[in-house]
Amino acid sequence: MKPLPDEIRSAYPVCSRLLAEEPLPPDGPAPTVEDLPRRLAATPAALKRHPYLADLARIEQAIHKLSTDPPGIPSRVDRLRLNPALVLLPVSWQRLPERLQDDRAAPAPVPNGFVLVWKAPGSGRVRAATADGHDLLALKIVSEAIAPRQAAEDGGVSLGTIDNILYAASQRGLLLAPPSRIVRPPAFGREAVDGDQFRVARCFTLQWHITQACDLHCRHCYDRSDRQPLPLVEALRVLDDLYDFCQRMHVYGQVTFTGGNPLLYPHFDEVYRQSAERGFLTAVLGNPMPRRRIETLLRIQDLEFYQVSLEGLAEHNDYIRGPGHFQRTMAFLDVLRELNVSTMVMLTLTDANMGQVLPLAERLRGRTGVFTFNRLSPVGEGADLSPAGTGRYRAFLEDYLRAARNNPAMRLKDNLFNILLHERGEPFFGGCAGFGCGAAFNFVSLLPDGEVHACRKLPSLIGNIRERSLYDIYRDAPARRFRAGSKACRGCAIRPVCGGCLAVSHGSGLNIFRERDPYCFMEK
C-alpha cells in the first residue's frame, strides 16, 4: 500500500499505525477518508496480522465524523429520545474500543457484536464503547416507543430494573432525557443563590406515614389520632400513582417510610418489596427494631438510610421517649453499622435540650453517619413543651456550626444556618430539604388514611390520594400556596435555600403565608 495521506493518518491514527505493519500489496490509488473501511473490508486475506482492521477503521471513521461534523443535539427534549449523535456499529471483533486506547488490548472474534460511538451531550466528548445487553435494550425501548411497564412484563423483570437501565443510558448520553419539571420559578430569589443546584429537584420524596401504630409515646408527638391505615391493595395503588407522578415530572422517586413506627404496618414487607420493584429509593424513619427485622428488608433492597431519634443525653431522652430508649437506640445504631446501613440521628430542639446537643453529638461521633436537629413544632402533644428561645438561637447556631467543622457526623439542616453562611460569604447548603423549605416542592407527606400534607409537622392538607392523583394534588392551588411559602420571604437574597420553617411559624401562632419565621435574623 502506498504511503497514507496526512488526512488518513489524522482521521485513522490507530489504523494508520497498524497498517504500517501490514505487507499489503499496492491496490490502486491511495484510500480516502471516506473509503478506507471499505477498502480494508475488501482485502481480508491480506490483513494477516490485524484481521480486525476493517471494523476498527469503521469505529475510527465514526469518531472522526462525530468530531468534525456532528449532527445537532437538542438542548431540551420532552421525552426520552435517542442521541442523534450516536452510531451503532455491528462488529465481528470484541475489545475494539479498548484497542483505540491501549495497543495491548487484543481483539478477539465475537459473533454479532456491537460498538457504540457517540458525542456526549454537554461535554461534547466523543466516546466509543462496546455495547452490552442493557445498552441495546435501552435503545430498543426508546426507538420502538415501548412503554417501560410493557418492557418489564415482556422481559419478566421489575419495572425498576427497566427504569434503571434507561436511567443509566441517559446518564452516559446514549439517550437524551427531558429535564425535571420540579423547578423553582425564576423570581424565586436570585441575588445570592444562582444556578440550578438549589432550584431544580431531580428526586421527589413521598414521606409516607404508613401507620399510626407506635411502640413509643413521645411527649412531642405531632399526632396521636386514630387514623386507619390503607389496606394493601390501596397501598399498592399509591406506589403506582407515585410512579406515574415521577414519570410525568421526569424525576426519580424515593419512598421514606415513617409513622408511628412504619415497620408495625401489617403489610410493610410487601409494600417495601413493591417499592423496590418500581425502582424507588427506600428509607425508614423509625424506632429501634430487632436485627432480623432489618435483615429482612436488606434482602429485598438496601436502605438509603435508617433514621432514629434521640432528644438529648440519656436522662432527658428517656423522659421524652420512655425508659431505656437511649441505650436501645445506641445499641441499634451499632447493629445498623454492622449491617452497613447508613444511619441518621434526629433531635427535636427544645428549650430543655439546647445545652445537650453538642455533648450528644460527641457521643455519636463515629457511631452514626449523620446527626442533626429540627426545631420543635409546638403542635399536638408537643404544644406542652417549651420551644428553644429565639433570643439565643443565633448564638446556638454559631456554636453548632463551629463544632460541626470538627465532627463529621454533625450536619446542617435548619434553613437559618444559611443566614450565617451568607454573612460569612461561605457556600450555601441545601437547607431543610435540599431546596430550603421543600414543603409541597420536592416532597409531600402522606398520612395513613390517604390525606396528603405539604409537611407533616403542621396542618397542611393539600388533598387526598384516595380521591385524586398525586399529580393533580401537586399542581393544584393548595400545594402551590405552600410551595410559595411566606410572602415575607419573597425577595430575600437566600430564599432558594431558606424560607424559614412554616411549622415553627404555625406553632408560634403566626400567619405562615404572610409572616416570617420568628427565629429569622436575616437583615431586611
Side-chain angles (χ1 to χ4, degrees):
M1 182 177 287
K2 297 178 180 179
L4 296 173
D6 289 345
E7 61 267 23
I8 291 287
R9 290 197 298 270
S10 175
Y12 300 89
V14 177
C15 286
S16 297
R17 186 170 66 252
L18 297 177
L19 279 171
E21 304 172 8
E22 290 282 9
L24 294 180
D27 55 352
T32 66
V33 170
E34 289 298 324
D35 74 354
L36 180 63
R38 180 190 61 78
R39 294 276 292 275
L40 292 173
T43 57
L47 302 175
K48 296 178 180 179
R49 296 188 61 183
H50 309 296
Y52 49 84
L53 264 180
D55 278 350
L56 193 64
R58 292 168 61 232
I59 296 171
E60 284 201 298
Q61 183 182 64
I63 292 173
H64 176 69
K65 287 183 176 180
L66 289 178
S67 300
T68 58
D69 188 25
I73 301 176
S75 58
R76 294 175 68 91
V77 295
D78 58 3
R79 57 181 173 80
L80 272 179
R81 289 184 51 188
L82 297 178
N83 181 348
L86 167 69
V87 179
L88 179 65
L89 298 172
V91 294
S92 301
W93 298 82
Q94 63 179 343
R95 295 198 293 272
L96 293 177
E98 292 82 355
R99 182 72 182 189
L100 296 176
Q101 304 298 326
D102 184 356
D103 284 342
R104 295 168 299 178
V110 58
N112 304 320
F114 290 90
V115 166
L116 297 163
V117 183
W118 75 101
K119 185 172 185 178
S123 71
R125 177 187 172 193
V126 176
R127 302 177 59 190
T130 300
D132 63 22
H134 285 181
D135 295 329
L136 298 175
L137 179 57
L139 300 182
K140 177 181 176 66
I141 289 172
V142 173
S143 64
E144 298 181 13
I146 301 172
R149 281 193 173 97
Q150 186 62 53
E153 182 178 336
D154 292 345
V157 298
S158 71
L159 184 57
T161 298
I162 296 298
D163 280 344
N164 287 338
I165 288 171
L166 294 172
Y167 176 76
S170 66
Q171 288 295 102
R172 294 175 67 198
L174 307 179
L175 302 177
L176 305 182
S180 168
R181 294 177 61 193
I182 298 182
V183 182
R184 294 291 196 193
F188 207 74
R190 295 194 69 90
E191 180 181 332
V193 183
D194 208 348
D196 289 343
Q197 180 182 1
F198 304 119
R199 305 174 65 83
V200 181
R202 295 173 175 83
C203 179
F204 181 84
T205 298
L206 181 71
Q207 188 186 78
W208 194 350
H209 297 256
I210 198 167
T211 180
Q212 293 288 84
C214 191
D215 46 330
L216 302 177
H217 190 154
C218 303
R219 294 177 181 269
H220 56 16
C221 185
Y222 300 134
D223 185 2
R224 296 292 297 184
S225 63
D226 185 25
R227 296 178 184 267
Q228 294 302 304
L230 299 177
L232 178 59
V233 65
E234 290 193 54
L236 299 185
R237 279 202 293 267
V238 166
L239 296 178
D240 287 335
D241 193 8
L242 175 62
Y243 180 85
D244 290 341
F245 173 87
C246 291
Q247 289 290 300
R248 297 181 74 171
M249 301 301 285
H250 309 311
V251 294
Y252 58 94
Q254 174 170 312
V255 184
T256 298
F257 293 101
T258 184
N261 183 348
L263 275 69
L264 298 182
Y265 176 66
H267 310 293
F268 184 81
D269 287 6
E270 182 59 22
V271 173
Y272 188 87
R273 183 186 310 279
Q274 293 292 333
S275 298
E277 288 283 314
R278 288 159 177 78
F280 297 135
L281 305 175
T282 48
V284 169
L285 313 182
N287 301 335
M289 296 295 288
R291 180 189 185 107
R292 64 180 181 277
R293 193 72 187 85
I294 307 305
E295 290 174 334
T296 298
L297 300 184
L298 297 181
R299 284 193 290 270
I300 299 171
Q301 175 168 287
D302 287 344
L303 287 154
E304 291 299 301
F305 61 86
Y306 194 114
Q307 178 180 300
V308 294
S309 295
L310 288 172
E311 309 308 335
L313 301 176
E315 182 178 358
H316 181 75
N317 177 81
D318 290 359
Y319 168 74
I320 297 293
R321 291 191 168 265
H325 176 268
F326 186 89
Q327 290 304 325
R328 289 199 306 275
T329 301
M330 296 295 274
F332 183 57
L333 289 172
D334 292 340
V335 169
L336 293 176
R337 187 171 64 238
E338 292 170 4
L339 295 174
N340 294 316
V341 175
S342 296
T343 59
M344 300 176 65
V345 175
M346 178 65 67
L347 175 142
T348 300
L349 189 71
T350 66
D351 188 63
N353 66 8
M354 283 184 76
Q356 298 184 37
V357 171
L358 299 188
L360 177 61
E362 280 303 306
R363 288 287 302 273
L364 292 171
R365 181 192 290 265
R367 207 159 191 167
T368 184
V370 174
F371 168 68
T372 189
F373 66 89
N374 272 325
R375 283 174 280 154
L376 172 73
S377 175
V379 297
E381 297 184 4
D384 294 332
L385 301 180
S386 298
T390 57
R392 56 194 180 111
Y393 192 59
R394 177 185 176 124
F396 167 78
L397 293 183
E398 290 173 335
D399 290 343
Y400 185 97
L401 192 59
R402 189 178 305 111
R405 309 286 191 195
N406 299 305
N407 187 337
M410 295 176 68
R411 303 293 176 85
L412 310 184
K413 182 172 176 63
D414 194 312
N415 292 329
L416 302 190
F417 276 114
N418 277 313
I419 302 177
L420 295 178
L421 298 177
H422 178 55
E423 292 176 352
R424 300 174 184 186
E426 297 180 16
F428 296 114
F429 80 109
C432 180
F435 303 88
C437 176
F441 176 64
N442 66 321
F443 78 89
V444 295
S445 293
L446 174 63
L447 275 53
D449 57 2
E451 284 190 2
V452 181
H453 286 245
C455 175
R456 185 65 185 95
K457 295 194 298 177
L458 77 160
S460 52
L461 181 66
I462 57 176
N464 193 304
I465 206 164
R466 304 174 88 169
E467 300 168 358
R468 305 177 66 211
S469 71
L470 181 58
Y471 181 77
D472 288 338
I473 291 171
Y474 185 88
R475 295 170 66 242
D476 209 354
R480 294 200 307 270
R481 191 180 189 202
F482 280 101
R483 201 150 52 237
S486 174
K487 291 182 179 179
C489 295
R490 296 180 189 176
C492 178
I494 65 170
R495 177 62 183 93
V497 292
C498 191
C501 178
L502 300 181
V504 169
S505 294
H506 170 81
S508 301
L510 302 178
N511 184 323
I512 64 172
F513 299 114
R514 294 188 175 277
E515 299 178 87
R516 68 176 181 171
D517 187 322
Y519 289 77
C520 176
F521 50 89
M522 183 77 170
E523 293 185 7
K524 295 184 178 180

PDB file of all heavy atoms in Angstrom, residues 256-276:
ATOM      1  N   THR A 256     -39.929   7.357  51.701  1.00  0.00           N
ATOM      2  CA  THR A 256     -39.396   7.355  53.053  1.00  0.00           C
ATOM      3  C   THR A 256     -40.528   6.937  53.978  1.00  0.00           C
ATOM      4  O   THR A 256     -41.498   7.677  54.168  1.00  0.00           O
ATOM      5  CB  THR A 256     -38.852   8.737  53.440  1.00  0.00           C
ATOM      6  OG1 THR A 256     -37.769   9.075  52.557  1.00  0.00           O
ATOM      7  CG2 THR A 256     -38.340   8.745  54.865  1.00  0.00           C
ATOM      8  N   PHE A 257     -40.421   5.745  54.523  1.00  0.00           N
ATOM      9  CA  PHE A 257     -41.481   5.193  55.360  1.00  0.00           C
ATOM     10  C   PHE A 257     -41.308   5.667  56.796  1.00  0.00           C
ATOM     11  O   PHE A 257     -40.229   5.590  57.377  1.00  0.00           O
ATOM     12  CB  PHE A 257     -41.429   3.668  55.340  1.00  0.00           C
ATOM     13  CG  PHE A 257     -41.756   3.068  54.002  1.00  0.00           C
ATOM     14  CD1 PHE A 257     -40.744   2.619  53.171  1.00  0.00           C
ATOM     15  CD2 PHE A 257     -43.066   2.946  53.579  1.00  0.00           C
ATOM     16  CE1 PHE A 257     -41.033   2.051  51.946  1.00  0.00           C
ATOM     17  CE2 PHE A 257     -43.367   2.382  52.348  1.00  0.00           C
ATOM     18  CZ  PHE A 257     -42.350   1.932  51.527  1.00  0.00           C
ATOM     19  N   THR A 258     -42.409   6.145  57.359  1.00  0.00           N
ATOM     20  CA  THR A 258     -42.384   6.554  58.749  1.00  0.00           C
ATOM     21  C   THR A 258     -43.765   6.317  59.331  1.00  0.00           C
ATOM     22  O   THR A 258     -44.592   5.632  58.738  1.00  0.00           O
ATOM     23  CB  THR A 258     -41.907   8.021  58.882  1.00  0.00           C
ATOM     24  OG1 THR A 258     -41.794   8.360  60.263  1.00  0.00           O
ATOM     25  CG2 THR A 258     -42.832   8.988  58.171  1.00  0.00           C
ATOM     26  N   GLY A 259     -44.037   6.854  60.508  1.00  0.00           N
ATOM     27  CA  GLY A 259     -45.322   6.587  61.169  1.00  0.00           C
ATOM     28  C   GLY A 259     -45.606   7.641  62.198  1.00  0.00           C
ATOM     29  O   GLY A 259     -45.396   8.838  61.932  1.00  0.00           O
ATOM     30  N   GLY A 260     -45.977   7.141  63.365  1.00  0.00           N
ATOM     31  CA  GLY A 260     -45.812   5.852  64.011  1.00  0.00           C
ATOM     32  C   GLY A 260     -44.499   5.169  63.715  1.00  0.00           C
ATOM     33  O   GLY A 260     -43.534   5.734  63.293  1.00  0.00           O
ATOM     34  N   ASN A 261     -44.520   3.882  63.967  1.00  0.00           N
ATOM     35  CA  ASN A 261     -43.394   3.027  63.609  1.00  0.00           C
ATOM     36  C   ASN A 261     -43.792   2.272  62.351  1.00  0.00           C
ATOM     37  O   ASN A 261     -44.634   1.378  62.396  1.00  0.00           O
ATOM     38  CB  ASN A 261     -43.085   2.052  64.744  1.00  0.00           C
ATOM     39  CG  ASN A 261     -41.869   1.193  64.448  1.00  0.00           C
ATOM     40  OD1 ASN A 261     -41.385   1.155  63.317  1.00  0.00           O
ATOM     41  ND2 ASN A 261     -41.378   0.498  65.458  1.00  0.00           N
ATOM     42  N   PRO A 262     -43.205   2.626  61.195  1.00  0.00           N
ATOM     43  CA  PRO A 262     -43.686   2.068  59.927  1.00  0.00           C
ATOM     44  C   PRO A 262     -43.604   0.552  59.850  1.00  0.00           C
ATOM     45  O   PRO A 262     -44.418  -0.091  59.188  1.00  0.00           O
ATOM     46  CB  PRO A 262     -42.776   2.733  58.887  1.00  0.00           C
ATOM     47  CG  PRO A 262     -41.554   3.125  59.636  1.00  0.00           C
ATOM     48  CD  PRO A 262     -42.034   3.496  61.000  1.00  0.00           C
ATOM     49  N   LEU A 263     -42.630  -0.041  60.552  1.00  0.00           N
ATOM     50  CA  LEU A 263     -42.470  -1.485  60.461  1.00  0.00           C
ATOM     51  C   LEU A 263     -43.575  -2.238  61.193  1.00  0.00           C
ATOM     52  O   LEU A 263     -43.649  -3.473  61.126  1.00  0.00           O
ATOM     53  CB  LEU A 263     -41.102  -1.914  60.974  1.00  0.00           C
ATOM     54  CG  LEU A 263     -39.974  -1.841  59.920  1.00  0.00           C
ATOM     55  CD1 LEU A 263     -39.657  -0.397  59.552  1.00  0.00           C
ATOM     56  CD2 LEU A 263     -38.718  -2.552  60.398  1.00  0.00           C
ATOM     57  N   LEU A 264     -44.455  -1.515  61.867  1.00  0.00           N
ATOM     58  CA  LEU A 264     -45.609  -2.143  62.508  1.00  0.00           C
ATOM     59  C   LEU A 264     -46.816  -2.207  61.586  1.00  0.00           C
ATOM     60  O   LEU A 264     -47.838  -2.801  61.942  1.00  0.00           O
ATOM     61  CB  LEU A 264     -45.971  -1.388  63.797  1.00  0.00           C
ATOM     62  CG  LEU A 264     -44.888  -1.373  64.887  1.00  0.00           C
ATOM     63  CD1 LEU A 264     -45.394  -0.641  66.120  1.00  0.00           C
ATOM     64  CD2 LEU A 264     -44.440  -2.791  65.242  1.00  0.00           C
ATOM     65  N   TYR A 265     -46.726  -1.606  60.424  1.00  0.00           N
ATOM     66  CA  TYR A 265     -47.794  -1.743  59.433  1.00  0.00           C
ATOM     67  C   TYR A 265     -47.859  -3.213  59.020  1.00  0.00           C
ATOM     68  O   TYR A 265     -46.838  -3.824  58.684  1.00  0.00           O
ATOM     69  CB  TYR A 265     -47.496  -0.851  58.227  1.00  0.00           C
ATOM     70  CG  TYR A 265     -48.480  -0.967  57.082  1.00  0.00           C
ATOM     71  CD1 TYR A 265     -49.810  -0.560  57.223  1.00  0.00           C
ATOM     72  CD2 TYR A 265     -48.077  -1.498  55.858  1.00  0.00           C
ATOM     73  CE1 TYR A 265     -50.705  -0.664  56.175  1.00  0.00           C
ATOM     74  CE2 TYR A 265     -48.959  -1.595  54.791  1.00  0.00           C
ATOM     75  CZ  TYR A 265     -50.281  -1.182  54.953  1.00  0.00           C
ATOM     76  OH  TYR A 265     -51.169  -1.300  53.913  1.00  0.00           O
ATOM     77  N   PRO A 266     -49.022  -3.829  59.034  1.00  0.00           N
ATOM     78  CA  PRO A 266     -49.104  -5.286  58.840  1.00  0.00           C
ATOM     79  C   PRO A 266     -48.604  -5.791  57.489  1.00  0.00           C
ATOM     80  O   PRO A 266     -48.202  -6.944  57.372  1.00  0.00           O
ATOM     81  CB  PRO A 266     -50.594  -5.590  59.032  1.00  0.00           C
ATOM     82  CG  PRO A 266     -51.297  -4.294  58.854  1.00  0.00           C
ATOM     83  CD  PRO A 266     -50.349  -3.243  59.329  1.00  0.00           C
ATOM     84  N   HIS A 267     -48.613  -4.936  56.466  1.00  0.00           N
ATOM     85  CA  HIS A 267     -48.174  -5.363  55.131  1.00  0.00           C
ATOM     86  C   HIS A 267     -46.875  -4.674  54.724  1.00  0.00           C
ATOM     87  O   HIS A 267     -46.595  -4.517  53.535  1.00  0.00           O
ATOM     88  CB  HIS A 267     -49.261  -5.046  54.098  1.00  0.00           C
ATOM     89  CG  HIS A 267     -50.623  -5.528  54.483  1.00  0.00           C
ATOM     90  ND1 HIS A 267     -50.948  -6.863  54.576  1.00  0.00           N
ATOM     91  CD2 HIS A 267     -51.750  -4.835  54.809  1.00  0.00           C
ATOM     92  CE1 HIS A 267     -52.220  -6.984  54.929  1.00  0.00           C
ATOM     93  NE2 HIS A 267     -52.719  -5.779  55.081  1.00  0.00           N
ATOM     94  N   PHE A 268     -46.070  -4.288  55.724  1.00  0.00           N
ATOM     95  CA  PHE A 268     -44.921  -3.446  55.404  1.00  0.00           C
ATOM     96  C   PHE A 268     -43.954  -4.111  54.435  1.00  0.00           C
ATOM     97  O   PHE A 268     -43.489  -3.492  53.472  1.00  0.00           O
ATOM     98  CB  PHE A 268     -44.164  -3.025  56.664  1.00  0.00           C
ATOM     99  CG  PHE A 268     -43.038  -2.076  56.366  1.00  0.00           C
ATOM    100  CD1 PHE A 268     -43.288  -0.727  56.185  1.00  0.00           C
ATOM    101  CD2 PHE A 268     -41.733  -2.543  56.210  1.00  0.00           C
ATOM    102  CE1 PHE A 268     -42.261   0.148  55.859  1.00  0.00           C
ATOM    103  CE2 PHE A 268     -40.704  -1.670  55.897  1.00  0.00           C
ATOM    104  CZ  PHE A 268     -40.973  -0.330  55.722  1.00  0.00           C
ATOM    105  N   ASP A 269     -43.619  -5.372  54.669  1.00  0.00           N
ATOM    106  CA  ASP A 269     -42.618  -6.024  53.817  1.00  0.00           C
ATOM    107  C   ASP A 269     -43.064  -6.065  52.364  1.00  0.00           C
ATOM    108  O   ASP A 269     -42.251  -5.875  51.449  1.00  0.00           O
ATOM    109  CB  ASP A 269     -42.341  -7.436  54.319  1.00  0.00           C
ATOM    110  CG  ASP A 269     -41.523  -7.447  55.605  1.00  0.00           C
ATOM    111  OD1 ASP A 269     -41.275  -6.360  56.161  1.00  0.00           O
ATOM    112  OD2 ASP A 269     -41.131  -8.537  56.047  1.00  0.00           O
ATOM    113  N   GLU A 270     -44.362  -6.302  52.128  1.00  0.00           N
ATOM    114  CA  GLU A 270     -44.842  -6.359  50.753  1.00  0.00           C
ATOM    115  C   GLU A 270     -44.818  -4.974  50.112  1.00  0.00           C
ATOM    116  O   GLU A 270     -44.447  -4.830  48.939  1.00  0.00           O
ATOM    117  CB  GLU A 270     -46.252  -6.936  50.707  1.00  0.00           C
ATOM    118  CG  GLU A 270     -46.828  -7.073  49.308  1.00  0.00           C
ATOM    119  CD  GLU A 270     -45.993  -7.966  48.384  1.00  0.00           C
ATOM    120  OE1 GLU A 270     -45.216  -8.802  48.890  1.00  0.00           O
ATOM    121  OE2 GLU A 270     -46.124  -7.826  47.151  1.00  0.00           O
ATOM    122  N   VAL A 271     -45.190  -3.954  50.849  1.00  0.00           N
ATOM    123  CA  VAL A 271     -45.147  -2.595  50.307  1.00  0.00           C
ATOM    124  C   VAL A 271     -43.702  -2.187  50.041  1.00  0.00           C
ATOM    125  O   VAL A 271     -43.396  -1.555  49.021  1.00  0.00           O
ATOM    126  CB  VAL A 271     -45.835  -1.602  51.265  1.00  0.00           C
ATOM    127  CG1 VAL A 271     -45.654  -0.162  50.787  1.00  0.00           C
ATOM    128  CG2 VAL A 271     -47.323  -1.925  51.383  1.00  0.00           C
ATOM    129  N   TYR A 272     -42.810  -2.577  50.940  1.00  0.00           N
ATOM    130  CA  TYR A 272     -41.380  -2.281  50.731  1.00  0.00           C
ATOM    131  C   TYR A 272     -40.879  -2.988  49.479  1.00  0.00           C
ATOM    132  O   TYR A 272     -40.161  -2.397  48.651  1.00  0.00           O
ATOM    133  CB  TYR A 272     -40.591  -2.726  51.961  1.00  0.00           C
ATOM    134  CG  TYR A 272     -39.143  -2.312  51.940  1.00  0.00           C
ATOM    135  CD1 TYR A 272     -38.749  -1.066  52.421  1.00  0.00           C
ATOM    136  CD2 TYR A 272     -38.158  -3.164  51.452  1.00  0.00           C
ATOM    137  CE1 TYR A 272     -37.417  -0.677  52.403  1.00  0.00           C
ATOM    138  CE2 TYR A 272     -36.828  -2.789  51.431  1.00  0.00           C
ATOM    139  CZ  TYR A 272     -36.460  -1.554  51.908  1.00  0.00           C
ATOM    140  OH  TYR A 272     -35.143  -1.174  51.886  1.00  0.00           O
ATOM    141  N   ARG A 273     -41.264  -4.241  49.314  1.00  0.00           N
ATOM    142  CA  ARG A 273     -40.840  -5.003  48.146  1.00  0.00           C
ATOM    143  C   ARG A 273     -41.375  -4.370  46.856  1.00  0.00           C
ATOM    144  O   ARG A 273     -40.656  -4.235  45.866  1.00  0.00           O
ATOM    145  CB  ARG A 273     -41.348  -6.449  48.255  1.00  0.00           C
ATOM    146  CG  ARG A 273     -40.888  -7.357  47.113  1.00  0.00           C
ATOM    147  CD  ARG A 273     -41.541  -8.730  47.202  1.00  0.00           C
ATOM    148  NE  ARG A 273     -41.412  -9.295  48.520  1.00  0.00           N
ATOM    149  CZ  ARG A 273     -40.329  -9.911  48.978  1.00  0.00           C
ATOM    150  NH1 ARG A 273     -39.278 -10.059  48.176  1.00  0.00           N
ATOM    151  NH2 ARG A 273     -40.285 -10.403  50.197  1.00  0.00           N
ATOM    152  N   GLN A 274     -42.634  -3.973  46.884  1.00  0.00           N
ATOM    153  CA  GLN A 274     -43.228  -3.378  45.690  1.00  0.00           C
ATOM    154  C   GLN A 274     -42.625  -2.009  45.388  1.00  0.00           C
ATOM    155  O   GLN A 274     -42.538  -1.600  44.234  1.00  0.00           O
ATOM    156  CB  GLN A 274     -44.744  -3.280  45.854  1.00  0.00           C
ATOM    157  CG  GLN A 274     -45.451  -4.621  45.893  1.00  0.00           C
ATOM    158  CD  GLN A 274     -45.384  -5.345  44.561  1.00  0.00           C
ATOM    159  OE1 GLN A 274     -45.272  -4.729  43.509  1.00  0.00           O
ATOM    160  NE2 GLN A 274     -45.438  -6.672  44.599  1.00  0.00           N
ATOM    161  N   SER A 275     -42.193  -1.299  46.412  1.00  0.00           N
ATOM    162  CA  SER A 275     -41.492  -0.025  46.188  1.00  0.00           C
ATOM    163  C   SER A 275     -40.186  -0.270  45.452  1.00  0.00           C
ATOM    164  O   SER A 275     -39.843   0.437  44.494  1.00  0.00           O
ATOM    165  CB  SER A 275     -41.212   0.668  47.529  1.00  0.00           C
ATOM    166  OG  SER A 275     -42.409   0.986  48.209  1.00  0.00           O
ATOM    167  N   ALA A 276     -39.462  -1.294  45.889  1.00  0.00           N
ATOM    168  CA  ALA A 276     -38.211  -1.641  45.228  1.00  0.00           C
ATOM    169  C   ALA A 276     -38.463  -2.103  43.795  1.00  0.00           C
ATOM    170  O   ALA A 276     -37.698  -1.771  42.874  1.00  0.00           O
ATOM    171  CB  ALA A 276     -37.490  -2.735  46.022  1.00  0.00           C
TER     172      ALA A 276
END
